Structures are given as C-alpha cells and as structure tokens.
Amino acid sequence: MLLFGKKKEEEKEAPACTCNAGPSVSEADGTASNCCSEVQNGICCIKILGSGCASCHALYKNTKEIIQKMGIPAETEYVTDMQKIMEYGVMSMPALVVNEKVVSMGKVLKSADIEKLLQKSGF
C-alpha cells in the first residue's frame, strides 16, 4: 500500500498548470499551441499522464530532476484522471506533455531524452 500513499503525496506536490488550459490545436497547421501567454523561455507547463504505475512514476521523477537541472521555471503536474488523459488522445502511458502538446507516449524516457525533447520545445 505504500505505492498508493506515495502517489497521492506526489500528486499533492505538483500544482496544476498555471493557465489550466486543456489541449488546444492550431487551425493553421494542426499542432498544439502554447497553453498560455505566460510562457517563460518557451515552456509554460509540463505534465505526466499516467495510471499510477511504476513506469509513470519513473517518468515523473526523471522529468522533475531534469527540469530542476536545466533551471526551467515550469512545474511538473502528474495527471491520473483517465478522462483528462483521453482528452489528449493518449492511448499508451506514460506520456509526456509540454505546453499542452504530447511529445512522448508509451515509454519511460531517460533524463537525456527528456532534455532533448525540452530543448526542441523551446527551452
């Protein structure tokens, strides 16, 4: 039962996205837009979508470590609500969402891989 208690603790630590925007799509090219006007250094919010399994927790931990190392001012939110996960069109978890755009799904990324994705996202 420790795993479940830990999950609840991590969810409480991670505040919601500052803009609380849902996934949005640009009409021109079909890509997701920045989720809010408060984007700092290209990244506004980072979310981990998952069911609460060990793989999801590992991606959450790796992501928190790399954003701290890179000095990114965004917080990492851990989303387990299946309705919200389905809004992103994610069918395989864990998934990494940056600025409301799904950048990875279905695998636990290593820190170096997360860093590359964040750099591509504008940081």
Side-chain angles (χ1 to χ4, degrees):
M1 292 303 235
L2 286 175
L3 176 63
F4 296 112
K6 184 176 182 182
K7 180 181 109 182
K8 297 284 185 196
E9 180 181 307
E10 287 177 354
E11 286 180 324
K12 289 178 185 176
E13 287 177 11
C17 175
T18 57
C19 63
N20 289 323
S24 59
V25 177
S26 168
E27 292 178 22
D29 60 3
T31 59
S33 63
N34 289 337
C35 59
C36 68
S37 59
E38 299 176 17
V39 177
Q40 297 177 351
N41 298 321
I43 297 177
C44 168
C45 55
I46 300 171
K47 297 178 183 177
I48 305 302
L49 310 178
S51 60
C53 66
S55 296
C56 299
H57 284 284
L59 180 60
Y60 178 73
K61 178 181 170 272
N62 292 347
T63 303
K64 283 185 71 165
E65 287 174 0
I66 200 65
I67 66 166
Q68 184 177 16
K69 177 184 171 190
M70 292 176 70
I72 297 174
E75 292 291 327
T76 304
E77 181 181 359
Y78 187 69
V79 179
T80 58
D81 182 351
M82 291 306 288
Q83 183 64 35
K84 290 181 182 178
I85 292 170
M86 294 303 292
E87 290 174 8
Y88 288 94
V90 171
M91 300 301 286
S92 181
M93 294 180 270
L96 176 62
V97 177
V98 179
N99 290 349
E100 297 303 323
K101 180 179 179 183
V102 178
V103 296
S104 173
M105 69 174 106
K107 57 185 171 182
V108 178
L109 299 172
K110 296 179 182 176
S111 295
D113 297 327
I114 297 169
E115 185 174 5
K116 287 177 189 175
L117 287 171
L118 294 177
Q119 288 172 344
K120 285 182 184 179
S121 297
F123 189 80

